[in-house]
């Protein structure tokens, strides 16, 4: 419960005002309840003043550039207690890389009237998800946030990159993304629906999807993807991105970006060494080569296939489905 100060007494000690704020973000109405006259609030929010009006009815208690967290808090303060961050803002709070996106998507209940303003985009929805919290920040779960981003994209590659980021982190499954799309509005759903269908084929990165499309033009035998390969005694060897079983050829799409940590990349190198010790011919491709130099990638694959055809096939096999 806020205790109203004597008119003008707030200026003698700003502690109460700072304590009532969230990282310097406070409602103008709260300031009035603390004894700051409305005219004083807006006077202090003039360009030369010590505060700023960051959103309608929301004040930031300094006149410098707001931090990302302050922008998120301001949006939530503007939206009210039932709103949630979604889209890039929610993914940022959840720890995703969002390339410093400036827009903030706010989900508000359908019966609540809030308009898009400044850096805040508002979506009124009848499907308010159960929110997550990090400190004072309330945000939609990854499945909703990812789809809310995807519905606003026009680039297929960017849409794949966003959706596969959730799959790679283990935050969502393809089925969860498909359900979220099915339950949501049709507006903007065409592209993410097609991407989710592609992701259902067990390709878990943009690079792997690009590789599969390029390989289709190679004229080489059919390749399977993400299948476990075992040695003659049943020991597991690897799960390469692509596999030609007839000649025991593996295709690996290598990039630290898709393996997240140095430890995971080291595991990739160890897996490749196991394959080579088992006699498997391994082709390694960097993701950027798929688009910058596809002819060389295809030439490497065809040369490796010729090499695999002339050497005895090693005793390695795919495990048959149960």
């Amino acid at each position: 419960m806020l205790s109203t100060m004597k008119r003008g007494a707030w200026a003698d000690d700003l502690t109460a005002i700072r304590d009532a704020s969230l990282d310097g973000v406070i409602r103008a109405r709260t300031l009035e309840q603390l004894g700051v006259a409305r005219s004083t609030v807006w006077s202090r929010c003039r360009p030369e003043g010590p505060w700023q009006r960051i959103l309608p009815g929301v004040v930031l208690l300094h006149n410098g550039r707001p931090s990302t967290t302050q922008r998120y808090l301001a949006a939530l303060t503007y939206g009210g207690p039932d709103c949630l961050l979604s889209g890039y803002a929610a993914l940022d709070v959840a720890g995703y890389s969002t390339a410093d996106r400036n827009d903030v998507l706010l989900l508000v209940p359908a019966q609540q009237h809030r308009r898009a303003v400044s850096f805040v985009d508002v979506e009124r929805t009848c499907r308010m998800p159960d929110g997550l919290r990090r400190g004072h920040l309330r945000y939609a779960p990854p499945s909703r946030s990812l789809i809310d981003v995807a519905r606003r994209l026009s680039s297929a590659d960017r849409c794949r990159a966003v959706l596969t980021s959730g799959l790679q982190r283990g935050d969502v499954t393809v089925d969860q993304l498909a359900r979220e799309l099915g339950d949501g509005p049709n507006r903007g759903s065409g592209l993410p629906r097609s991407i989710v269908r592609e992701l259902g084929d067990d390709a878990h990165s943009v690079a792997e999807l690009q590789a599969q499309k390029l390989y289709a033009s190679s004229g080489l035998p059919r390749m399977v993807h993400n299948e476990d390969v075992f040695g003659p005694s049943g020991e597991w060897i690897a799960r390469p991105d692509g596999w030609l079983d007839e000649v025991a050829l593996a295709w690996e799409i290598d990039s630290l970006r898709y393996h997240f940590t140095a430890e995971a990349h080291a595991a990739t190198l160890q897996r490749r060494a196991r394959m080579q010790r088992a006699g498997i011919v391994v082709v390694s491709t960097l993701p950027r080569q798929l688009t910058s130099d596809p002819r060389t990638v295809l030439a490497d694959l065809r040369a490796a296939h010729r090499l695999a055809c002339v050497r005895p096939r090693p005793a390695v096999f795919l495990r048959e489905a149960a």
Side-chain angles (χ1 to χ4, degrees), residues 54 72 88 104 106 145 155-156 168 172-173 184 222 228 252 261:
I54 186 171
Y72 295 163
Y88 281 116
V104 177
L106 201 61
S145 302
S155 163
Q168 290 168 324
V172 295
T173 65
R222 177 179 175 272
D228 290 314
E252 291 280 82
T261 66

Side-chain angles (χ1 to χ4, degrees), residues 49-314:
W51 299 344
Q52 61 181 290
R53 178 180 180 268
I54 186 171
L55 287 171
V58 183
V59 172
L60 184 58
L61 299 176
H62 67 75
N63 61 6
R65 182 174 181 177
S67 69
T68 299
T69 298
Q70 287 171 332
R71 287 159 56 86
Y72 295 163
L73 288 170
L76 290 168
T77 302
Y78 169 69
D82 297 323
C83 72
L84 295 172
L85 300 173
S86 189
Y88 281 116
L91 295 179
D92 181 33
V93 175
Y96 287 70
S97 174
T98 58
D100 298 322
R101 296 285 302 201
N102 290 321
D103 54 314
V104 177
L105 176 62
L106 201 61
L107 299 180
V108 301
Q111 67 274 16
Q112 185 174 325
H113 294 282
R114 287 290 185 275
R115 61 185 176 87
V117 60
S118 184
F119 56 87
V120 178
D121 186 19
V122 173
E123 180 170 306
R124 295 168 61 194
T125 177
C126 296
R127 298 187 313 113
M128 284 296 295
D130 293 331
L132 304 176
R133 293 189 74 98
R134 177 162 292 178
H136 293 293
L137 298 175
R138 307 183 306 275
Y139 60 102
S143 58
R144 179 63 174 271
S145 302
L146 289 162
I147 292 301
D148 279 345
V149 170
R151 287 195 295 109
R152 289 163 169 80
L153 295 176
S154 58
S155 163
D157 281 349
R158 288 182 62 193
C159 188
R160 288 190 193 96
V162 166
L163 297 181
T164 53
S165 66
L167 296 170
Q168 290 168 324
R169 284 170 54 111
D171 288 346
V172 295
T173 65
V174 173
D175 286 344
Q176 287 173 326
L177 293 175
R179 283 197 297 272
E180 182 62 47
L181 272 170
D183 293 341
N186 288 327
R187 186 184 71 256
S189 67
L191 178 59
R193 284 179 191 276
S194 67
I195 300 302
V196 167
R197 283 194 294 269
E198 290 181 6
L199 294 173
D201 294 330
D202 284 334
H204 298 301
S205 74
V206 173
E208 289 179 27
L209 289 167
Q210 291 172 331
Q212 291 179 26
K213 290 183 176 181
L214 178 61
Y215 186 83
S217 67
S218 69
L220 293 172
R222 177 179 175 272
M223 178 175 279
V224 296
H225 303 278
N226 300 302
E227 296 283 352
D228 290 314
V229 179
F230 296 86
S233 301
E235 71 278 14
W236 181 81
I237 298 175
R239 194 182 203 203
D241 298 319
W243 178 254
L244 284 177
D245 193 55
E246 183 179 352
V247 295
L249 182 150
W251 189 18
E252 291 280 82
I253 311 301
D254 292 330
S255 172
L256 266 178
R257 178 181 174 188
Y258 295 109
H259 295 294
F260 309 116
T261 66
E263 291 81 4
H265 191 60
T268 297
L269 298 179
Q270 294 167 5
R271 184 175 72 251
R272 182 180 306 148
R274 286 197 305 272
M275 288 191 284
Q276 291 171 334
R277 287 195 298 270
I280 296 168
V281 174
V282 182
V283 181
S284 298
T285 300
L286 293 173
R288 64 174 178 269
Q289 291 178 279
L290 297 168
T291 53
S292 67
D293 195 9
R295 291 186 179 182
T296 298
V297 174
L298 291 175
D300 290 345
L301 286 166
R302 290 168 181 144
H305 182 256
R306 289 193 295 270
L307 175 62
C309 286
V310 299
R311 61 87 164 94
R313 187 191 185 284

